[in-house]
Amino acid sequence: MSRIGVGLMAAALLVYLAVAIWLAVMFISVGSPVSIGMGVTLLVLAPIGAWALVREMMFGFGADRLGRLLDAEGGMPPVETELTPSGRIARADADPLIARYAAEADAAGGDWRARYRLGVVQDAAGRRKDARASIREAIRLSRR
C-alpha cells in the first residue's frame, strides 16, 4: 500500500514540476519585471521543492528497509514500559530508556542496528527530531 502512495507522490511531483516550469515560462514571456521575477522564482523554487521531496522519500525507503531487516533479525527493541493510550512511552520512563539505548548505540560505534534501535525508542517517546537524526545516521552507517 505504501508503494502505491510513493508512486502517486512521484507522479504528483512530475505534474508539479511540469506545471511550475510551464507557469515560469508564461510569466517570463510576459516581459514585465514583476512577471520575469515571478518566473525566475518558480524556476528556482520548483527544483528545491522536488529535491526536498525526493530526499524525504529516500529517507523513508531507507528507514523502511532497515526496519524490515532489523525486525526479520529479531533485533527491534521490545516494549519494556507501559505505553500511553496514543502508543507512546510514558514521559517518566522515556529518559532512562533513551539514555540506555543511547549508551548502547555509542558503545556499538558503527553498528547501524544499535543506532536504529535508539531511533525507534526516541520516536516512541515522541522525540521525532532526535529519532530522525538517529535513523538517518543508521542509514548512513548501513551503507558502509
Side-chain angles (χ1 to χ4, degrees), residues 43-83:
L43 287 175
V44 170
L45 290 180
I48 291 172
W51 169 81
L53 181 60
V54 167
R55 186 171 181 259
E56 286 304 306
M57 288 171 59
M58 296 304 292
F59 171 78
F61 286 140
D64 181 58
R65 178 180 57 83
L66 293 183
R68 283 186 283 114
L69 180 60
L70 191 61
D71 192 37
E73 295 174 352
M76 286 297 243
V79 177
E80 301 177 32
T81 65
E82 283 291 318
L83 301 178

PDB file of all heavy atoms in Angstrom, residues 43-83:
ATOM      1  N   LEU A  43      11.276  28.991 -11.299  1.00  0.00           N
ATOM      2  CA  LEU A  43      12.332  28.119 -11.824  1.00  0.00           C
ATOM      3  C   LEU A  43      13.332  27.720 -10.747  1.00  0.00           C
ATOM      4  O   LEU A  43      13.955  26.667 -10.839  1.00  0.00           O
ATOM      5  CB  LEU A  43      13.064  28.792 -12.990  1.00  0.00           C
ATOM      6  CG  LEU A  43      12.285  28.887 -14.296  1.00  0.00           C
ATOM      7  CD1 LEU A  43      13.074  29.690 -15.334  1.00  0.00           C
ATOM      8  CD2 LEU A  43      11.941  27.510 -14.831  1.00  0.00           C
ATOM      9  N   VAL A  44      13.485  28.557  -9.731  1.00  0.00           N
ATOM     10  CA  VAL A  44      14.407  28.242  -8.637  1.00  0.00           C
ATOM     11  C   VAL A  44      13.723  27.381  -7.575  1.00  0.00           C
ATOM     12  O   VAL A  44      14.290  26.391  -7.106  1.00  0.00           O
ATOM     13  CB  VAL A  44      14.962  29.543  -8.007  1.00  0.00           C
ATOM     14  CG1 VAL A  44      15.724  29.262  -6.730  1.00  0.00           C
ATOM     15  CG2 VAL A  44      15.839  30.284  -9.014  1.00  0.00           C
ATOM     16  N   LEU A  45      12.499  27.747  -7.195  1.00  0.00           N
ATOM     17  CA  LEU A  45      11.826  27.059  -6.090  1.00  0.00           C
ATOM     18  C   LEU A  45      11.317  25.664  -6.446  1.00  0.00           C
ATOM     19  O   LEU A  45      11.313  24.771  -5.595  1.00  0.00           O
ATOM     20  CB  LEU A  45      10.675  27.906  -5.562  1.00  0.00           C
ATOM     21  CG  LEU A  45      11.079  29.173  -4.809  1.00  0.00           C
ATOM     22  CD1 LEU A  45       9.845  29.926  -4.341  1.00  0.00           C
ATOM     23  CD2 LEU A  45      11.984  28.852  -3.648  1.00  0.00           C
ATOM     24  N   ALA A  46      10.874  25.461  -7.674  1.00  0.00           N
ATOM     25  CA  ALA A  46      10.333  24.150  -8.057  1.00  0.00           C
ATOM     26  C   ALA A  46      11.366  23.034  -7.884  1.00  0.00           C
ATOM     27  O   ALA A  46      11.055  22.006  -7.270  1.00  0.00           O
ATOM     28  CB  ALA A  46       9.785  24.198  -9.479  1.00  0.00           C
ATOM     29  N   PRO A  47      12.592  23.189  -8.387  1.00  0.00           N
ATOM     30  CA  PRO A  47      13.575  22.117  -8.169  1.00  0.00           C
ATOM     31  C   PRO A  47      13.953  21.929  -6.697  1.00  0.00           C
ATOM     32  O   PRO A  47      14.221  20.805  -6.266  1.00  0.00           O
ATOM     33  CB  PRO A  47      14.795  22.558  -8.983  1.00  0.00           C
ATOM     34  CG  PRO A  47      14.269  23.526  -9.972  1.00  0.00           C
ATOM     35  CD  PRO A  47      13.090  24.184  -9.317  1.00  0.00           C
ATOM     36  N   ILE A  48      13.942  23.013  -5.921  1.00  0.00           N
ATOM     37  CA  ILE A  48      14.245  22.884  -4.495  1.00  0.00           C
ATOM     38  C   ILE A  48      13.163  22.048  -3.807  1.00  0.00           C
ATOM     39  O   ILE A  48      13.452  21.160  -3.008  1.00  0.00           O
ATOM     40  CB  ILE A  48      14.406  24.269  -3.829  1.00  0.00           C
ATOM     41  CG1 ILE A  48      15.664  24.944  -4.341  1.00  0.00           C
ATOM     42  CG2 ILE A  48      14.427  24.140  -2.306  1.00  0.00           C
ATOM     43  CD1 ILE A  48      15.818  26.394  -3.899  1.00  0.00           C
ATOM     44  N   GLY A  49      11.909  22.303  -4.138  1.00  0.00           N
ATOM     45  CA  GLY A  49      10.812  21.513  -3.589  1.00  0.00           C
ATOM     46  C   GLY A  49      10.900  20.052  -4.003  1.00  0.00           C
ATOM     47  O   GLY A  49      10.673  19.155  -3.203  1.00  0.00           O
ATOM     48  N   ALA A  50      11.253  19.831  -5.259  1.00  0.00           N
ATOM     49  CA  ALA A  50      11.406  18.459  -5.753  1.00  0.00           C
ATOM     50  C   ALA A  50      12.547  17.754  -5.022  1.00  0.00           C
ATOM     51  O   ALA A  50      12.417  16.588  -4.632  1.00  0.00           O
ATOM     52  CB  ALA A  50      11.657  18.469  -7.254  1.00  0.00           C
ATOM     53  N   TRP A  51      13.654  18.462  -4.843  1.00  0.00           N
ATOM     54  CA  TRP A  51      14.800  17.878  -4.128  1.00  0.00           C
ATOM     55  C   TRP A  51      14.392  17.482  -2.708  1.00  0.00           C
ATOM     56  O   TRP A  51      14.730  16.386  -2.235  1.00  0.00           O
ATOM     57  CB  TRP A  51      15.960  18.880  -4.096  1.00  0.00           C
ATOM     58  CG  TRP A  51      17.056  18.470  -3.181  1.00  0.00           C
ATOM     59  CD1 TRP A  51      18.058  17.576  -3.423  1.00  0.00           C
ATOM     60  CD2 TRP A  51      17.258  18.931  -1.833  1.00  0.00           C
ATOM     61  NE1 TRP A  51      18.863  17.453  -2.323  1.00  0.00           N
ATOM     62  CE2 TRP A  51      18.396  18.273  -1.329  1.00  0.00           C
ATOM     63  CE3 TRP A  51      16.582  19.826  -1.020  1.00  0.00           C
ATOM     64  CZ2 TRP A  51      18.864  18.496  -0.045  1.00  0.00           C
ATOM     65  CZ3 TRP A  51      17.053  20.045   0.257  1.00  0.00           C
ATOM     66  CH2 TRP A  51      18.190  19.375   0.732  1.00  0.00           C
ATOM     67  N   ALA A  52      13.663  18.365  -2.018  1.00  0.00           N
ATOM     68  CA  ALA A  52      13.257  18.072  -0.640  1.00  0.00           C
ATOM     69  C   ALA A  52      12.343  16.845  -0.591  1.00  0.00           C
ATOM     70  O   ALA A  52      12.489  15.989   0.287  1.00  0.00           O
ATOM     71  CB  ALA A  52      12.561  19.284  -0.031  1.00  0.00           C
ATOM     72  N   LEU A  53      11.421  16.751  -1.531  1.00  0.00           N
ATOM     73  CA  LEU A  53      10.516  15.607  -1.551  1.00  0.00           C
ATOM     74  C   LEU A  53      11.272  14.314  -1.847  1.00  0.00           C
ATOM     75  O   LEU A  53      11.064  13.294  -1.179  1.00  0.00           O
ATOM     76  CB  LEU A  53       9.407  15.815  -2.580  1.00  0.00           C
ATOM     77  CG  LEU A  53       8.386  14.691  -2.675  1.00  0.00           C
ATOM     78  CD1 LEU A  53       7.662  14.486  -1.350  1.00  0.00           C
ATOM     79  CD2 LEU A  53       7.397  14.968  -3.784  1.00  0.00           C
ATOM     80  N   VAL A  54      12.171  14.349  -2.811  1.00  0.00           N
ATOM     81  CA  VAL A  54      12.956  13.150  -3.147  1.00  0.00           C
ATOM     82  C   VAL A  54      13.815  12.740  -1.954  1.00  0.00           C
ATOM     83  O   VAL A  54      13.932  11.554  -1.631  1.00  0.00           O
ATOM     84  CB  VAL A  54      13.806  13.395  -4.412  1.00  0.00           C
ATOM     85  CG1 VAL A  54      14.842  12.300  -4.599  1.00  0.00           C
ATOM     86  CG2 VAL A  54      12.907  13.488  -5.632  1.00  0.00           C
ATOM     87  N   ARG A  55      14.399  13.718  -1.281  1.00  0.00           N
ATOM     88  CA  ARG A  55      15.231  13.419  -0.102  1.00  0.00           C
ATOM     89  C   ARG A  55      14.403  12.732   0.984  1.00  0.00           C
ATOM     90  O   ARG A  55      14.858  11.759   1.600  1.00  0.00           O
ATOM     91  CB  ARG A  55      15.841  14.717   0.415  1.00  0.00           C
ATOM     92  CG  ARG A  55      16.818  14.520   1.531  1.00  0.00           C
ATOM     93  CD  ARG A  55      17.549  15.834   1.829  1.00  0.00           C
ATOM     94  NE  ARG A  55      18.503  15.640   2.886  1.00  0.00           N
ATOM     95  CZ  ARG A  55      18.296  16.001   4.147  1.00  0.00           C
ATOM     96  NH1 ARG A  55      17.169  16.598   4.495  1.00  0.00           N
ATOM     97  NH2 ARG A  55      19.202  15.782   5.061  1.00  0.00           N
ATOM     98  N   GLU A  56      13.205  13.218   1.232  1.00  0.00           N
ATOM     99  CA  GLU A  56      12.343  12.604   2.239  1.00  0.00           C
ATOM    100  C   GLU A  56      11.900  11.206   1.814  1.00  0.00           C
ATOM    101  O   GLU A  56      11.799  10.296   2.639  1.00  0.00           O
ATOM    102  CB  GLU A  56      11.120  13.482   2.516  1.00  0.00           C
ATOM    103  CG  GLU A  56      11.438  14.709   3.328  1.00  0.00           C
ATOM    104  CD  GLU A  56      12.110  14.385   4.648  1.00  0.00           C
ATOM    105  OE1 GLU A  56      11.563  13.569   5.427  1.00  0.00           O
ATOM    106  OE2 GLU A  56      13.193  14.931   4.916  1.00  0.00           O
ATOM    107  N   MET A  57      11.656  11.026   0.520  1.00  0.00           N
ATOM    108  CA  MET A  57      11.281   9.697   0.038  1.00  0.00           C
ATOM    109  C   MET A  57      12.447   8.727   0.202  1.00  0.00           C
ATOM    110  O   MET A  57      12.247   7.578   0.602  1.00  0.00           O
ATOM    111  CB  MET A  57      10.829   9.777  -1.416  1.00  0.00           C
ATOM    112  CG  MET A  57       9.468  10.443  -1.579  1.00  0.00           C
ATOM    113  SD  MET A  57       8.992  10.799  -3.285  1.00  0.00           S
ATOM    114  CE  MET A  57       9.032   9.196  -4.035  1.00  0.00           C
ATOM    115  N   MET A  58      13.654   9.175  -0.066  1.00  0.00           N
ATOM    116  CA  MET A  58      14.829   8.312   0.099  1.00  0.00           C
ATOM    117  C   MET A  58      15.016   7.948   1.572  1.00  0.00           C
ATOM    118  O   MET A  58      15.359   6.818   1.904  1.00  0.00           O
ATOM    119  CB  MET A  58      16.085   8.990  -0.450  1.00  0.00           C
ATOM    120  CG  MET A  58      16.046   9.242  -1.949  1.00  0.00           C
ATOM    121  SD  MET A  58      15.761   7.767  -2.930  1.00  0.00           S
ATOM    122  CE  MET A  58      17.275   6.912  -2.642  1.00  0.00           C
ATOM    123  N   PHE A  59      14.777   8.911   2.463  1.00  0.00           N
ATOM    124  CA  PHE A  59      14.841   8.628   3.898  1.00  0.00           C
ATOM    125  C   PHE A  59      13.805   7.560   4.269  1.00  0.00           C
ATOM    126  O   PHE A  59      14.104   6.607   4.983  1.00  0.00           O
ATOM    127  CB  PHE A  59      14.601   9.902   4.717  1.00  0.00           C
ATOM    128  CG  PHE A  59      14.442   9.645   6.187  1.00  0.00           C
ATOM    129  CD1 PHE A  59      15.547   9.400   6.982  1.00  0.00           C
ATOM    130  CD2 PHE A  59      13.192   9.630   6.770  1.00  0.00           C
ATOM    131  CE1 PHE A  59      15.408   9.147   8.343  1.00  0.00           C
ATOM    132  CE2 PHE A  59      13.038   9.379   8.124  1.00  0.00           C
ATOM    133  CZ  PHE A  59      14.154   9.141   8.910  1.00  0.00           C
ATOM    134  N   GLY A  60      12.596   7.727   3.771  1.00  0.00           N
ATOM    135  CA  GLY A  60      11.535   6.761   4.071  1.00  0.00           C
ATOM    136  C   GLY A  60      11.856   5.365   3.566  1.00  0.00           C
ATOM    137  O   GLY A  60      11.649   4.379   4.272  1.00  0.00           O
ATOM    138  N   PHE A  61      12.387   5.281   2.338  1.00  0.00           N
ATOM    139  CA  PHE A  61      12.766   3.971   1.793  1.00  0.00           C
ATOM    140  C   PHE A  61      13.872   3.329   2.632  1.00  0.00           C
ATOM    141  O   PHE A  61      13.822   2.146   2.946  1.00  0.00           O
ATOM    142  CB  PHE A  61      13.257   4.093   0.349  1.00  0.00           C
ATOM    143  CG  PHE A  61      12.177   4.338  -0.656  1.00  0.00           C
ATOM    144  CD1 PHE A  61      12.380   5.223  -1.697  1.00  0.00           C
ATOM    145  CD2 PHE A  61      10.962   3.688  -0.581  1.00  0.00           C
ATOM    146  CE1 PHE A  61      11.399   5.447  -2.647  1.00  0.00           C
ATOM    147  CE2 PHE A  61       9.973   3.910  -1.521  1.00  0.00           C
ATOM    148  CZ  PHE A  61      10.193   4.792  -2.554  1.00  0.00           C
ATOM    149  N   GLY A  62      14.877   4.137   2.986  1.00  0.00           N
ATOM    150  CA  GLY A  62      15.993   3.611   3.775  1.00  0.00           C
ATOM    151  C   GLY A  62      15.555   3.159   5.154  1.00  0.00           C
ATOM    152  O   GLY A  62      15.942   2.087   5.628  1.00  0.00           O
ATOM    153  N   ALA A  63      14.732   3.975   5.810  1.00  0.00           N
ATOM    154  CA  ALA A  63      14.251   3.634   7.146  1.00  0.00           C
ATOM    155  C   ALA A  63      13.374   2.374   7.094  1.00  0.00           C
ATOM    156  O   ALA A  63      13.494   1.490   7.955  1.00  0.00           O
ATOM    157  CB  ALA A  63      13.474   4.797   7.743  1.00  0.00           C
ATOM    158  N   ASP A  64      12.529   2.277   6.093  1.00  0.00           N
ATOM    159  CA  ASP A  64      11.661   1.104   5.950  1.00  0.00           C
ATOM    160  C   ASP A  64      12.492  -0.147   5.703  1.00  0.00           C
ATOM    161  O   ASP A  64      12.240  -1.199   6.299  1.00  0.00           O
ATOM    162  CB  ASP A  64      10.673   1.334   4.807  1.00  0.00           C
ATOM    163  CG  ASP A  64       9.728   0.171   4.622  1.00  0.00           C
ATOM    164  OD1 ASP A  64       9.015  -0.176   5.585  1.00  0.00           O
ATOM    165  OD2 ASP A  64       9.717  -0.408   3.519  1.00  0.00           O
ATOM    166  N   ARG A  65      13.483  -0.043   4.834  1.00  0.00           N
ATOM    167  CA  ARG A  65      14.341  -1.197   4.512  1.00  0.00           C
ATOM    168  C   ARG A  65      15.066  -1.690   5.764  1.00  0.00           C
ATOM    169  O   ARG A  65      15.064  -2.886   6.075  1.00  0.00           O
ATOM    170  CB  ARG A  65      15.353  -0.809   3.439  1.00  0.00           C
ATOM    171  CG  ARG A  65      16.325  -1.921   3.069  1.00  0.00           C
ATOM    172  CD  ARG A  65      17.313  -1.468   1.995  1.00  0.00           C
ATOM    173  NE  ARG A  65      18.081  -0.287   2.347  1.00  0.00           N
ATOM    174  CZ  ARG A  65      19.188  -0.307   3.090  1.00  0.00           C
ATOM    175  NH1 ARG A  65      19.662  -1.440   3.558  1.00  0.00           N
ATOM    176  NH2 ARG A  65      19.837   0.811   3.362  1.00  0.00           N
ATOM    177  N   LEU A  66      15.664  -0.759   6.517  1.00  0.00           N
ATOM    178  CA  LEU A  66      16.392  -1.162   7.725  1.00  0.00           C
ATOM    179  C   LEU A  66      15.441  -1.698   8.794  1.00  0.00           C
ATOM    180  O   LEU A  66      15.774  -2.655   9.504  1.00  0.00           O
ATOM    181  CB  LEU A  66      17.197   0.010   8.277  1.00  0.00           C
ATOM    182  CG  LEU A  66      18.368   0.493   7.426  1.00  0.00           C
ATOM    183  CD1 LEU A  66      19.116   1.607   8.143  1.00  0.00           C
ATOM    184  CD2 LEU A  66      19.300  -0.636   7.066  1.00  0.00           C
ATOM    185  N   GLY A  67      14.267  -1.092   8.911  1.00  0.00           N
ATOM    186  CA  GLY A  67      13.301  -1.563   9.896  1.00  0.00           C
ATOM    187  C   GLY A  67      12.846  -2.978   9.610  1.00  0.00           C
ATOM    188  O   GLY A  67      12.750  -3.810  10.520  1.00  0.00           O
ATOM    189  N   ARG A  68      12.560  -3.276   8.337  1.00  0.00           N
ATOM    190  CA  ARG A  68      12.160  -4.635   7.979  1.00  0.00           C
ATOM    191  C   ARG A  68      13.296  -5.623   8.218  1.00  0.00           C
ATOM    192  O   ARG A  68      13.065  -6.730   8.721  1.00  0.00           O
ATOM    193  CB  ARG A  68      11.699  -4.686   6.520  1.00  0.00           C
ATOM    194  CG  ARG A  68      10.290  -4.129   6.334  1.00  0.00           C
ATOM    195  CD  ARG A  68       9.737  -4.302   4.926  1.00  0.00           C
ATOM    196  NE  ARG A  68      10.333  -3.299   4.036  1.00  0.00           N
ATOM    197  CZ  ARG A  68      11.146  -3.567   3.026  1.00  0.00           C
ATOM    198  NH1 ARG A  68      11.471  -4.804   2.742  1.00  0.00           N
ATOM    199  NH2 ARG A  68      11.634  -2.596   2.273  1.00  0.00           N
ATOM    200  N   LEU A  69      14.523  -5.222   7.895  1.00  0.00           N
ATOM    201  CA  LEU A  69      15.681  -6.097   8.092  1.00  0.00           C
ATOM    202  C   LEU A  69      15.907  -6.378   9.578  1.00  0.00           C
ATOM    203  O   LEU A  69      16.092  -7.524   9.986  1.00  0.00           O
ATOM    204  CB  LEU A  69      16.925  -5.475   7.468  1.00  0.00           C
ATOM    205  CG  LEU A  69      18.229  -6.264   7.574  1.00  0.00           C
ATOM    206  CD1 LEU A  69      18.100  -7.615   6.896  1.00  0.00           C
ATOM    207  CD2 LEU A  69      19.360  -5.465   6.929  1.00  0.00           C
ATOM    208  N   LEU A  70      15.865  -5.329  10.392  1.00  0.00           N
ATOM    209  CA  LEU A  70      16.078  -5.498  11.830  1.00  0.00           C
ATOM    210  C   LEU A  70      14.965  -6.329  12.456  1.00  0.00           C
ATOM    211  O   LEU A  70      15.221  -7.188  13.312  1.00  0.00           O
ATOM    212  CB  LEU A  70      16.182  -4.125  12.508  1.00  0.00           C
ATOM    213  CG  LEU A  70      16.659  -4.119  13.944  1.00  0.00           C
ATOM    214  CD1 LEU A  70      18.065  -4.694  14.055  1.00  0.00           C
ATOM    215  CD2 LEU A  70      16.631  -2.704  14.494  1.00  0.00           C
ATOM    216  N   ASP A  71      13.742  -6.124  12.010  1.00  0.00           N
ATOM    217  CA  ASP A  71      12.622  -6.906  12.529  1.00  0.00           C
ATOM    218  C   ASP A  71      12.767  -8.370  12.144  1.00  0.00           C
ATOM    219  O   ASP A  71      12.506  -9.259  12.954  1.00  0.00           O
ATOM    220  CB  ASP A  71      11.306  -6.334  12.001  1.00  0.00           C
ATOM    221  CG  ASP A  71      10.105  -6.905  12.711  1.00  0.00           C
ATOM    222  OD1 ASP A  71      10.177  -7.133  13.937  1.00  0.00           O
ATOM    223  OD2 ASP A  71       9.078  -7.121  12.038  1.00  0.00           O
ATOM    224  N   ALA A  72      13.203  -8.636  10.922  1.00  0.00           N
ATOM    225  CA  ALA A  72      13.405 -10.026  10.479  1.00  0.00           C
ATOM    226  C   ALA A  72      14.503 -10.713  11.278  1.00  0.00           C
ATOM    227  O   ALA A  72      14.445 -11.921  11.516  1.00  0.00           O
ATOM    228  CB  ALA A  72      13.745 -10.055   8.989  1.00  0.00           C
ATOM    229  N   GLU A  73      15.489  -9.940  11.716  1.00  0.00           N
ATOM    230  CA  GLU A  73      16.579 -10.487  12.533  1.00  0.00           C
ATOM    231  C   GLU A  73      16.179 -10.633  14.001  1.00  0.00           C
ATOM    232  O   GLU A  73      16.917 -11.200  14.792  1.00  0.00           O
ATOM    233  CB  GLU A  73      17.806  -9.575  12.464  1.00  0.00           C
ATOM    234  CG  GLU A  73      18.442  -9.487  11.106  1.00  0.00           C
ATOM    235  CD  GLU A  73      19.571  -8.469  11.047  1.00  0.00           C
ATOM    236  OE1 GLU A  73      19.790  -7.709  12.022  1.00  0.00           O
ATOM    237  OE2 GLU A  73      20.241  -8.429  10.006  1.00  0.00           O
ATOM    238  N   GLY A  74      15.014 -10.098  14.366  1.00  0.00           N
ATOM    239  CA  GLY A  74      14.567 -10.133  15.750  1.00  0.00           C
ATOM    240  C   GLY A  74      15.256  -9.096  16.620  1.00  0.00           C
ATOM    241  O   GLY A  74      15.334  -9.254  17.831  1.00  0.00           O
ATOM    242  N   GLY A  75      15.732  -8.020  16.012  1.00  0.00           N
ATOM    243  CA  GLY A  75      16.507  -7.027  16.743  1.00  0.00           C
ATOM    244  C   GLY A  75      15.778  -5.762  17.126  1.00  0.00           C
ATOM    245  O   GLY A  75      16.388  -4.837  17.665  1.00  0.00           O
ATOM    246  N   MET A  76      14.482  -5.690  16.884  1.00  0.00           N
ATOM    247  CA  MET A  76      13.744  -4.485  17.270  1.00  0.00           C
ATOM    248  C   MET A  76      13.632  -4.426  18.794  1.00  0.00           C
ATOM    249  O   MET A  76      13.566  -5.466  19.451  1.00  0.00           O
ATOM    250  CB  MET A  76      12.347  -4.479  16.655  1.00  0.00           C
ATOM    251  CG  MET A  76      12.363  -4.185  15.167  1.00  0.00           C
ATOM    252  SD  MET A  76      12.996  -2.553  14.806  1.00  0.00           S
ATOM    253  CE  MET A  76      11.567  -1.830  14.091  1.00  0.00           C
ATOM    254  N   PRO A  77      13.641  -3.216  19.357  1.00  0.00           N
ATOM    255  CA  PRO A  77      13.556  -3.114  20.816  1.00  0.00           C
ATOM    256  C   PRO A  77      12.202  -3.597  21.329  1.00  0.00           C
ATOM    257  O   PRO A  77      11.174  -3.287  20.738  1.00  0.00           O
ATOM    258  CB  PRO A  77      13.750  -1.617  21.092  1.00  0.00           C
ATOM    259  CG  PRO A  77      13.532  -0.931  19.807  1.00  0.00           C
ATOM    260  CD  PRO A  77      13.759  -1.913  18.721  1.00  0.00           C
ATOM    261  N   PRO A  78      12.221  -4.361  22.411  1.00  0.00           N
ATOM    262  CA  PRO A  78      10.956  -4.845  22.974  1.00  0.00           C
ATOM    263  C   PRO A  78      10.234  -3.723  23.719  1.00  0.00           C
ATOM    264  O   PRO A  78      10.844  -2.728  24.113  1.00  0.00           O
ATOM    265  CB  PRO A  78      11.408  -5.929  23.957  1.00  0.00           C
ATOM    266  CG  PRO A  78      12.783  -5.499  24.365  1.00  0.00           C
ATOM    267  CD  PRO A  78      13.384  -4.828  23.157  1.00  0.00           C
ATOM    268  N   VAL A  79       8.947  -3.885  23.903  1.00  0.00           N
ATOM    269  CA  VAL A  79       8.170  -2.936  24.696  1.00  0.00           C
ATOM    270  C   VAL A  79       8.481  -3.239  26.154  1.00  0.00           C
ATOM    271  O   VAL A  79       8.169  -4.314  26.654  1.00  0.00           O
ATOM    272  CB  VAL A  79       6.660  -3.071  24.414  1.00  0.00           C
ATOM    273  CG1 VAL A  79       5.865  -2.129  25.305  1.00  0.00           C
ATOM    274  CG2 VAL A  79       6.370  -2.812  22.956  1.00  0.00           C
ATOM    275  N   GLU A  80       9.128  -2.286  26.827  1.00  0.00           N
ATOM    276  CA  GLU A  80       9.593  -2.520  28.194  1.00  0.00           C
ATOM    277  C   GLU A  80       8.806  -1.763  29.245  1.00  0.00           C
ATOM    278  O   GLU A  80       8.997  -1.982  30.430  1.00  0.00           O
ATOM    279  CB  GLU A  80      11.072  -2.120  28.304  1.00  0.00           C
ATOM    280  CG  GLU A  80      11.978  -2.877  27.364  1.00  0.00           C
ATOM    281  CD  GLU A  80      13.417  -2.409  27.462  1.00  0.00           C
ATOM    282  OE1 GLU A  80      13.854  -1.989  28.549  1.00  0.00           O
ATOM    283  OE2 GLU A  80      14.107  -2.467  26.440  1.00  0.00           O
ATOM    284  N   THR A  81       7.980  -0.827  28.816  1.00  0.00           N
ATOM    285  CA  THR A  81       7.267   0.026  29.769  1.00  0.00           C
ATOM    286  C   THR A  81       5.802   0.100  29.387  1.00  0.00           C
ATOM    287  O   THR A  81       5.399  -0.342  28.322  1.00  0.00           O
ATOM    288  CB  THR A  81       7.842   1.460  29.750  1.00  0.00           C
ATOM    289  OG1 THR A  81       7.590   2.036  28.469  1.00  0.00           O
ATOM    290  CG2 THR A  81       9.320   1.474  30.038  1.00  0.00           C
ATOM    291  N   GLU A  82       5.038   0.708  30.278  1.00  0.00           N
ATOM    292  CA  GLU A  82       3.639   0.990  29.971  1.00  0.00           C
ATOM    293  C   GLU A  82       3.601   2.075  28.897  1.00  0.00           C
ATOM    294  O   GLU A  82       4.387   3.022  28.920  1.00  0.00           O
ATOM    295  CB  GLU A  82       2.912   1.495  31.223  1.00  0.00           C
ATOM    296  CG  GLU A  82       2.562   0.416  32.209  1.00  0.00           C
ATOM    297  CD  GLU A  82       1.486  -0.506  31.670  1.00  0.00           C
ATOM    298  OE1 GLU A  82       0.512  -0.037  31.056  1.00  0.00           O
ATOM    299  OE2 GLU A  82       1.627  -1.727  31.863  1.00  0.00           O
ATOM    300  N   LEU A  83       2.698   1.911  27.974  1.00  0.00           N
ATOM    301  CA  LEU A  83       2.530   2.909  26.923  1.00  0.00           C
ATOM    302  C   LEU A  83       1.300   3.754  27.215  1.00  0.00           C
ATOM    303  O   LEU A  83       0.340   3.284  27.832  1.00  0.00           O
ATOM    304  CB  LEU A  83       2.395   2.231  25.558  1.00  0.00           C
ATOM    305  CG  LEU A  83       3.560   1.349  25.121  1.00  0.00           C
ATOM    306  CD1 LEU A  83       3.259   0.713  23.767  1.00  0.00           C
ATOM    307  CD2 LEU A  83       4.850   2.155  25.052  1.00  0.00           C
TER     308      LEU A  83
END
